[in-house]
Amino acid sequence: MDAADGFQKRYSNIDELAADAKPLLTAQAHGYYSSGSDNEWTLRENSEALSRYRLLPRMCIDVSVVDTSTVLLGQKLSAPILFAPMAQQRLCHPLGELAMARAAAAAGLPYILSTMATSSIQEVAEAVQLPDHSSGSSSSSSSSQGAAPSRLPPASAAAGTDPCLWFQVYVMKRRDVTEWMVRQVHRLGFKALVVTVDAPRLGHREVDDRNKFSLPPHLSLKNLEALTKAAGGTADVQSSGSKFGKHFSDLFDQAVCWDTIAWLKSISPLPLLIKGVLAPDDARRAVELGVDGIILSNHGGRQLNYAPAAVDMLPACAAAVQGRVPLLVDGGISRGTDVLKCLALGASAVLVGRPLLWALTLGGQKGVEEAVGMLKAELELSMALLGTCRVSQLNSSFIIPPPPRPSQPQLRLQSRPRRAVVRVCAKSDPEGNAPPPPPAAAADTQQTPNRPQLPPNPISNPAGVVAYGGRLPPARRLIVSGLTATAVALGGNFLGVTSTLLALDGGKLAASTNLDVLVPVNGSRRCLDTGNGFTFLYPAKWLADQTLYRRYAERIEREAALDPPSLRRERARRQGVPEPAAAFGPAGSTGEENISVVVAPIRPGFSLQKMGAPEEAAARFLRETVAPEGSGRTAQLLGAGSRRDASGELYYQQEFTVKSERFSRRNLSVLAARNGLLYTLNCQSSTERWASNEAAFRKAAASFAILNSGAATADFPDAL
């Protein structure tokens, strides 16, 4: 394969490169670069997940000058894009890592050199002319660290930037060799370390096994020659599948843990980023250990199959990190709009991988420069069309989150413009009054082109559909219905058969599929509100008060009205406390027994931790909110604690009694904060009735969770 100088044809985007690069590669090389693990679900999901996020542009913005540059770890970048660490780049071009690093320098972007490179640390440093910071000459380095080929001309960085090399670390069983590499890159002027933590072993890469992938004899893993000359190749490895995979497992440490991060910090002053994190609690732990950045990654879909796309975990990890360190993300990024989406969701920069390998295959260094140029041009144009001039202006307000998956209940329908609201989670009166009887709807059931026919169903179904039409307040315009069609599809819960079957596994299937929204399981139903972003279980026989729906519709009518609102009424409305977004209680109760959720705005930067420890936060809540001085109420804290859910979201729980001359109540509350909103679940009853409700209340508290689907600002309650 000749070292081409630039593309031989014109491409419209870098997605087009893959097809033309494939014939130029051996089957082994192409399989190694392009494949994922197992059935490659995660590999496909990386691109599909990005496509599900939509961009919301802003108009009438001066975008005559758009600046794509940014600063990352003190380094000026021409765009928020990095070259991802990729092994064995000389499989696709004779100059491999040397040409790739020089292209990155020319573009003013960081290049991350892999431990598994086919060019040595020394060669890559010399290719971009990084200074040697040692007191002596470079001759003291390993004999394998050869000089860069003479045919490679001196590198020139983009205007206003310096060549920026980072080094990706796989921790070897021989820690002394890893330490030698880390000290070597520091001496040669590299700017940062990236430790990969998602590969204690290589994933099951079926294509590599079928191809019995092995490094060609003329190539060597140069950095591994520090172990032995033979360690640089795979010819002598005995394996019935991928020789490279077996070689990797033999050499690298499968016992990497959080202590390893501290060890790497202790042996190098370079900034340390951790790559391969997806869970918010891992991100939080990494920050606590002092890492300087986090790269959210599933290893290009090559490790754990069915791991989520990194972009889907970005909002949760951003909330966990809270801006303390930069977040980077990779996986499926090939368009300027992909970069925009990641930045708006909380990333500081993105990593691009496979498309650059295809560019290197087709056009060498110049081909990579052209590919990066296309991506940067797309980013600049997309920023202008979005209505942003600088990277720092991007935030989640430019993002429309993915709609619910087909397997989830559809929570909103629009039967008439601006008039129909459908929620699986019904609303309740803040006073706790019992739900009103279902209004007669016979006069309003005639079919029209714009209004779907809603099948009748008792209001006792808390998963009811509420559709508003016409002008309020005539009650006949309120149509209350249930999810009858869905119930029929489930067998109508005939004689309780569906509920019984779903309860056989303890309700796990029902919870994972949200079927407990539709039918009771183990005595509970699920409230699921993806608009505000929360869910919890409540007693199946309890009812949802529809009064809040009516108030919500009145607000819509008020906002649409041509007559200006009364200033007195508007001032009183704004001074009111937020209404519950959901509330349930037993039929005929006075409202003293209920489970409710309030969603209220909070100041920017608020977190539960800023309230102190759970006990401290609970005491402050009782003192300042529940029973402030002069209120005539007294409160006693019975217990406080915290928990985290599977996504790492933090919840504070508190149990207390409140007494006055008129009542004596006991409460169990759970608090969570996300996206500028404070979520409060409150379970309440009289002290005399507490024993009867305690089990249901504790079940509700344990099930309360904040969903990723929640909006940045909720559309309910009225105070928002």
Side-chain angles (χ1 to χ4, degrees), residues 162-181:
D162 295 322
C164 183
L165 294 182
W166 294 11
F167 183 65
Q168 177 266 338
V169 180
Y170 282 122
V171 179
M172 306 182 71
K173 293 176 180 177
R174 284 276 306 276
R175 291 289 181 92
D176 59 321
V177 176
T178 298
E179 182 173 352
W180 176 84
M181 293 182 191

Side-chain angles (χ1 to χ4, degrees), residues 161-444:
T161 66
D162 295 322
C164 183
L165 294 182
W166 294 11
F167 183 65
Q168 177 266 338
V169 180
Y170 282 122
V171 179
M172 306 182 71
K173 293 176 180 177
R174 284 276 306 276
R175 291 289 181 92
D176 59 321
V177 176
T178 298
E179 182 173 352
W180 176 84
M181 293 182 191
V182 168
R183 296 191 185 279
Q184 176 90 333
V185 297
H186 177 229
R187 178 177 66 81
L188 291 173
F190 283 59
K191 302 291 180 65
L193 298 174
V194 176
V195 57
T196 297
V197 296
D198 61 358
R201 306 181 194 177
L202 284 193
H204 183 210
R205 303 173 187 177
E206 297 178 2
V207 174
D208 286 350
D209 281 346
R210 286 195 296 269
N211 291 337
K212 301 186 186 305
F213 176 64
S214 179
L215 195 64
H218 69 283
L219 296 180
S220 172
L221 301 171
K222 289 290 188 177
N223 297 317
L224 300 190
E225 290 182 359
L227 284 166
T228 64
K229 185 72 174 178
T234 57
D236 298 332
V237 176
Q238 300 299 313
S239 173
S240 60
S242 169
K243 289 189 174 185
F244 175 77
K246 177 66 165 56
H247 192 49
F248 185 99
S249 298
D250 289 343
L251 293 179
F252 291 97
D253 192 351
Q254 299 180 20
V256 170
C257 59
W258 292 110
D259 290 342
T260 310
I261 307 303
W263 172 71
L264 286 169
K265 293 281 292 182
S266 72
I267 64 174
S268 175
L270 293 176
L272 178 66
L273 295 90
I274 185 170
K275 180 177 181 289
V277 165
L278 289 171
D281 53 342
D282 280 347
R284 191 178 296 107
R285 180 74 180 275
V287 172
E288 292 169 353
L289 289 173
V291 301
D292 300 285
I294 297 172
I295 302 175
L296 305 182
S297 173
N298 57 37
H299 214 105
R302 294 156 67 82
Q303 285 300 104
L304 177 65
N305 199 32
Y306 292 102
V311 68
D312 280 339
M313 299 310 301
L314 183 52
C317 288
V321 169
Q322 295 187 339
R324 289 173 287 177
V325 300
L327 289 178
L328 291 77
V329 65
D330 72 6
I333 295 167
S334 62
R335 304 302 298 244
T337 47
D338 295 338
V339 180
L340 273 188
K341 293 174 184 180
C342 294
L343 299 179
L345 288 168
S348 297
V350 303
L351 280 65
V352 179
R354 289 182 178 93
L356 301 182
L357 287 175
W358 310 141
L360 183 64
T361 302
L362 290 166
Q365 175 185 332
K366 291 297 184 182
V368 177
E369 290 178 17
E370 290 181 38
V372 172
M374 283 191 283
L375 187 59
K376 289 170 67 175
E378 284 186 7
L379 173 61
E380 191 272 346
L381 175 60
S382 298
M383 287 177 62
L385 296 177
L386 189 66
T388 56
C389 301
R390 297 184 302 277
V391 170
S392 60
Q393 295 175 337
L394 293 165
N395 57 58
S396 60
S397 69
F398 291 99
I399 291 290
I400 302 174
R405 298 291 187 94
S407 61
Q408 297 176 342
Q410 293 298 310
L411 302 178
R412 295 175 183 268
L413 298 175
Q414 197 77 19
S415 64
R416 229 180 181 183
R418 199 183 37 79
R419 302 276 185 203
V421 178
V422 178
R423 297 201 184 223
V424 168
C425 174
K427 312 298 179 185
S428 171
D429 188 338
E431 302 294 333
N433 297 324
D444 201 40

Side-chain angles (χ1 to χ4, degrees), residues 41 86 91 110 113 129 215 236 247 394-395 442 493 501 540 555 572 638:
W41 182 90
M86 295 171 285
L91 284 173
L113 177 66
Q129 293 187 328
L215 195 64
D236 298 332
H247 192 49
L394 293 165
N395 57 58
N493 199 27
L501 292 176
R555 183 184 66 152
L638 303 178

